[in-house]
Amino acid sequence: MTPPRYDDIYKQVVELLQEYAPQPGPISEETELVNDLGFDSLKVMEMLNDVEDAFDITYPLNSLSDLKTVKDFTTQILNIIETS
Amino acid sequence: MGILDKLNAVADARKTLFPPGVDPLNVVIDEIYSATEASIGGHRVLLAGTNNYLGLTFDQHCIGAAQSSLEKEGTGTTGSRMANGTFAGHRDLEKDLANFYGCSNAIVFSTGFVANLGVISTLAGPGDVIVLDADSHASIYDACKMSGAEMIRFRHNNIEDLEKKLKRLGPKTEKTLIIVEGIYSMLGDCAPLAEIAALKKKYGAWLLVDEAHSLGVMGDHGRGMAEAAGVEKDVDFIVGTFSKSLGAIGGYCVSNHPELDLVRYICRSYVFTASPSPSTIASVREALKAIQSKPELRTRLWDNAALLFHGLKELGFELGPDLSPIIAIRAPSREKTLFAWKALLDKGIYVNLVFPPAAPAGMSLLRCSISAAHTSEQISFLLQAFAEIKALMDKQE
């Protein structure tokens, strides 16, 4: 079952991705940041500042290696919120 | 897909960025005449992008010491210190560095890059945390990845963001290494080290400062930003390079923690690489003496930097935030930066062309680094050329 706050986080993540995506397009949970939205490492770093501010979290750079889809990103943020 | 396919993207980028026959990232210096002049493409060129801050590459004492060492000790060590043995020069340079910094321990590495790689990846490991400035050098990022520690980035030179991140770590700060640089290599801006050191103490963390671009440049005795900020006792580890102010190649780490000496037994970039050649060590030892005995070099360096920095500002260029020997001009686009870089070279001036990701925040830069060896005539020549380039760039708009 989807955790209760997942949907709220997902909604905010989509808004941030739409703002920063080099190749804007429709976004779903399975959308890939690099292949579908055209993110490169610099653009991801730029967005991470806003992600950290929006959720008041610290996003460890180690997590980037496991980040592929919007669902991954949302789940990572949820986990960080829950464990902090 | 073959393993080489990924390089197609590099080939495409090179083709898109640079016109045929122009490769600013692969410039060949045909002949080097002095610390400030060389021949490129058959033309005599003024060098303004070498990081040769004190101009010691042609210092007669350094050259003499290197020549004498070459005669006595040969061209190289042909192996690592652990396997082939430490030359007396390696040991003596470590003593010199420890004395220079007033520290108990020093380790010499083969380059500045591997000094960062080795020290950071050995000091921090799984279960530890590294909090690094976002604009840190590639060697620091690579070292952090290698370490297996949790890697947290704070916004460049942003004390509030650093504190926020330390606060969130809670008791983990006692296993947290903060990493910053004295002067940042691309924009030449300085770390607010006094504030960073205060946070390090407040939260009980550890602090490593990379003084690659500030050794010989900052501080009354040339020891770097930690000296200039008056926080040497609060810095746990200083890493630096021999390839800038000291005019050679190699790297080092100094510390008052006696455990630093144990790092050399397990640090892979120390154990498994050839040690610096004896002639390099000999020239570095002389250059380190020059930093201490010739403070006038530092005075001249800062006078030259101020002359160029303020001159470029008056011409209307957008520069980095701080006056330092690294003077970076922000250009409005990659095309204009490349145009200006090529036009400068045609006028007989070599500076560095820097594109993202080497430059921070997506900027394109014409990066100058000034030297104590530049004459006032050479700086006037630089300013005159930049004035002409500015007029050409403005015309393009």
Side-chain angles (χ1 to χ4, degrees), chain B residues 14 27 36 77 108 118 127 136 165 169 219 232 282 290 311-312 316 326 395:
Chain B
R14 186 171 67 174
V27 170
T36 60
T77 65
V108 164
S136 292
K165 283 175 176 160
L169 284 169
E232 285 175 295
L312 289 172
I326 297 168
K395 247 189 218 172

Side-chain angles (χ1 to χ4, degrees), chain B residues 27-77:
Chain B
V27 170
V28 175
I29 292 173
D30 301 314
E31 212 175 329
I32 182 104
Y33 303 123
S34 70
T36 60
E37 288 186 306
S39 170
I40 296 175
H43 301 288
R44 201 174 183 94
V45 166
L46 172 60
L47 299 171
T50 60
N51 304 322
N52 193 357
Y53 299 122
L54 301 181
L56 291 177
T57 49
F58 280 79
D59 179 90
Q60 286 310 305
H61 296 288
C62 295
I63 291 172
Q67 282 174 334
S68 166
S69 165
L70 268 172
E71 292 289 340
K72 286 184 199 155
E73 301 176 274
T75 53
T77 65

Side-chain angles (χ1 to χ4, degrees), chain A residues 41-42 44-46 48-50 52-53 56-62, chain B residues 132 141 148-153 155 161 164-165 168 356-357 359 362:
Chain A
S41 57
L42 282 179
V44 169
M45 293 293 188
E46 205 181 318
L48 280 182
N49 286 337
D50 275 358
E52 290 186 327
D53 285 348
D56 195 24
I57 57 166
T58 298
Y59 183 96
L61 297 185
N62 318 58
Chain B
L132 75 158
Y141 272 94
E150 184 178 348
M151 197 175 158
I152 291 169
R153 195 181 74 134
R155 291 174 195 186
D161 197 39
K164 201 191 283 181
K165 283 175 176 160
R168 283 185 190 136

Side-chain angles (χ1 to χ4, degrees), chain B residues 328-366:
Chain B
I329 296 166
R330 299 183 195 202
S333 67
R334 286 187 185 206
E335 292 72 23
K336 279 199 173 184
T337 318
L338 179 61
F339 166 81
W341 179 86
K342 180 75 173 63
L344 282 167
L345 193 59
D346 291 342
K347 286 178 182 297
I349 290 169
Y350 175 74
V351 299
N352 309 126
L353 177 75
V354 190
F355 286 157
M363 286 183 247
S364 295
L365 304 172
L366 290 168

Side-chain angles (χ1 to χ4, degrees), chain B residues 120-293:
Chain B
I120 294 167
S121 68
T122 306
L123 290 175
D128 300 326
V129 181
I130 294 173
V131 180
L132 75 158
D133 186 284
D135 282 6
S136 292
H137 190 260
S139 59
I140 295 175
Y141 272 94
D142 288 357
C144 294
K145 277 187 207 164
M146 270 176 66
S147 73
E150 184 178 348
M151 197 175 158
I152 291 169
R153 195 181 74 134
F154 71 95
R155 291 174 195 186
H156 176 54
N157 275 349
N158 188 322
I159 293 299
E160 290 74 26
D161 197 39
L162 173 60
E163 175 150 31
K164 201 191 283 181
K165 283 175 176 160
L166 290 171
K167 200 182 274 181
R168 283 185 190 136
L169 284 169
K172 279 163 84 178
T173 49
E174 67 180 29
K175 295 188 84 179
T176 294
L177 179 65
I178 300 166
I179 303 179
V180 297
E181 297 180 27
I183 293 179
Y184 284 86
S185 60
M186 287 299 120
L187 292 179
D189 45 346
C190 303
L193 205 52
E195 290 95 324
I196 291 168
L199 285 182
K200 172 251 172 179
K201 284 199 287 184
K202 181 176 173 186
Y203 289 92
W206 302 72
L207 177 59
L208 182 149
V209 180
D210 181 344
E211 299 268 22
H213 291 271
S214 32
L215 166 68
V217 170
M218 303 290 298
D220 288 345
H221 302 89
R223 292 198 294 268
M225 186 60 78
E227 184 195 6
V231 295
E232 285 175 295
K233 67 179 187 326
D234 301 319
V235 176
D236 296 283
F237 304 95
I238 285 175
V239 177
T241 178
F242 304 149
S243 63
K244 294 173 175 66
S245 287
L246 294 170
I249 185 167
Y252 65 93
C253 178
V254 295
S255 174
N256 272 320
H257 295 289
E259 293 86 350
L260 179 67
D261 198 49
L262 300 172
V263 165
R264 70 173 86 233
Y265 295 95
I266 54 168
C267 173
R268 296 169 70 82
S269 68
Y270 177 92
V271 173
F272 295 106
T273 196
S275 58
S277 62
S279 56
T280 298
I281 295 293
S283 82
V284 169
R285 292 190 70 200
E286 282 302 317
L288 196 58
K289 282 183 202 162
I291 284 185
Q292 296 165 86
S293 63

